[in-house]
Amino acid sequence: MLQHLITQDAGLRMIPTDRDKLTTAIGQLQDDLRALPEEADPARTRTLSRWIGIGQMCLGRHQEALTFLRQSLDLAAASGNTRAVVATSLNLGDAHRYAGDMRAADALYRSALGTARSHNPELVDFALQHTGKYLMERGDLAGAEAHLREALRLRIATGDTELIGSTQAALSRVELLIDRAAAPGSDDTAPRQWNGRWTAWLQAHTTARSPDRWAEDFPAIRGAVRGLTAHQRVHPRHLRDQPFPAELITAMAQEAEEALTTNGYLHNGKWNAAVGDAANRFAGQVDLAAVVTESTGLEVEQPHNGVYIGYLEEGQFLDFHVDEFGFGEANLILCLKHERSAAAPTVSATVFIGADGYRHVISRRANASCSMVRSPRTEGRLSAPENA
């Protein structure tokens, strides 16, 4: 409705091509909305509200944008139209981001991407694109690059040149910011800057789908990984038999199984689901920050984020990857349930990768670990940011 009146500025935010014309067009849409009879199709109301909200966002009228986009999202959710829910959630996330509310924006982007992956795969590239821009503004350049590269792969597969160009422009912006961060004279000791550069490099150069593949590729990046190891603040540790209360672990395992079954979504080759009350009780009753501090020497805050991960089929595993900075500098992964089939040739294991190669450690229930697995397992991950 308003696409021809909207463009992007240098920071990739939407702005009017002609402010007066956009204002007039929004006024006409508002007149159309007010003129709708009570028995009008809710889809028409939803569409008009959405575009009014998008237009107001482009004009910088944040409160008006939030009001109309929230109305549109509520109508989409009430109708069960998940495609509209995803699209409008992304718009509402943009409106919160433009208004400076990054916490609300983060929740909307994550929700939209999860829904797109599980219900509307044709919208995953759009969710990745919006999330990538958000991460860029938040300073997570590595995460932004990873999301945008995935979006680009999907868009190249569909062959839509306009969408491909949009993602390439966003990637170019992120790459420019990464180059600036790495330029001489920049503060190379800043954790966020350093983490962003290394994450982007590793995500672009490494994917180990098997020990054989890792052994083959490792010599080519050994020097780079040694450079990574020289600066890293947290060294991986496999902690066996932590004295966590059994009832809390059991409650999380049960919650994870239900969440993965009813609300799980496929991501990185395995199932993910949001944590709930059981995980929050665990994080509130167990001093996980002390566990991390004792094992690594790094002072961290209590966990602020979490996700359940399920390996539900024989042979599933997690590709070698580097987490986005937003997960926190220290990740604590708890193995909640670990089963081994008698016929399985190998047992599920956690793989630690360092400058001298990789080693795998068998995970048991309630161990703290990082993961790459080869037989069914359920995990919960809780992340803690570094103290300032």
Side-chain angles (χ1 to χ4, degrees), residues 248-376:
L248 295 179
I249 297 292
T250 299
M252 277 200 296
Q254 293 173 345
E255 179 178 78
E257 186 170 351
E258 180 178 349
L260 290 165
T261 301
T262 59
N263 297 310
Y265 56 92
L266 191 63
H267 182 54
N268 283 338
K270 80 287 182 212
W271 285 94
N272 284 224
V275 298
D277 292 341
N280 293 331
R281 285 196 302 273
F282 177 82
Q285 295 182 39
V286 177
D287 191 354
L288 294 173
V291 174
V292 174
T293 299
E294 183 178 353
S295 62
T296 68
L298 181 69
E299 293 291 332
V300 297
E301 299 173 0
Q302 282 294 98
H304 71 103
N305 197 355
V307 65
Y308 288 127
I309 304 171
Y311 305 82
L312 306 181
E313 298 178 6
E314 197 75 28
Q316 280 189 324
F317 56 88
L318 178 63
D319 285 349
F320 169 63
H321 71 291
V322 178
D323 278 328
E324 300 168 7
F325 190 85
F327 278 110
E329 187 171 0
N331 283 300
L332 182 66
I333 300 182
L334 310 176
C335 184
L336 302 175
K337 183 179 180 181
H338 192 182
E339 297 177 348
R340 181 182 182 183
S341 169
T346 58
V347 67
S348 170
T350 296
V351 174
F352 291 95
I353 299 172
D356 296 321
Y358 75 93
R359 64 187 178 91
H360 65 272
V361 181
I362 305 303
S363 297
R364 295 200 302 268
R365 185 177 184 274
N367 285 348
S369 66
C370 298
S371 65
M372 177 189 274
V373 301
R374 291 183 181 78
S375 61

Side-chain angles (χ1 to χ4, degrees), residues 142-155:
E145 184 179 41
H147 280 72
L148 291 170
R149 287 198 181 282
E150 184 180 353
L152 183 61
R153 288 194 297 271
L154 293 173
R155 291 182 166 182

Side-chain angles (χ1 to χ4, degrees), residues 24-99:
T24 300
I26 293 171
Q28 182 59 58
L29 293 181
Q30 289 176 310
D31 289 341
D32 294 344
L33 181 60
R34 285 190 290 267
L36 288 177
E38 290 186 7
E39 65 275 13
D41 183 356
R44 177 62 175 167
T45 303
R46 170 180 56 76
T47 301
L48 287 172
S49 298
R50 178 181 174 226
W51 278 104
I52 292 169
I54 293 173
Q56 298 286 28
M57 175 175 60
C58 295
L59 293 175
R61 299 169 181 170
H62 302 308
Q63 192 54 56
E64 293 90 339
L66 292 170
T67 298
F68 281 100
L69 287 170
R70 173 53 65 185
Q71 177 184 349
S72 181
L73 180 57
D74 289 344
L75 289 169
S79 69
N81 186 335
T82 57
R83 183 181 176 87
V85 167
V86 171
T88 311
S89 293
L90 293 173
N91 298 142
L92 186 57
D94 288 344
H96 278 289
R97 172 163 59 96
Y98 287 21

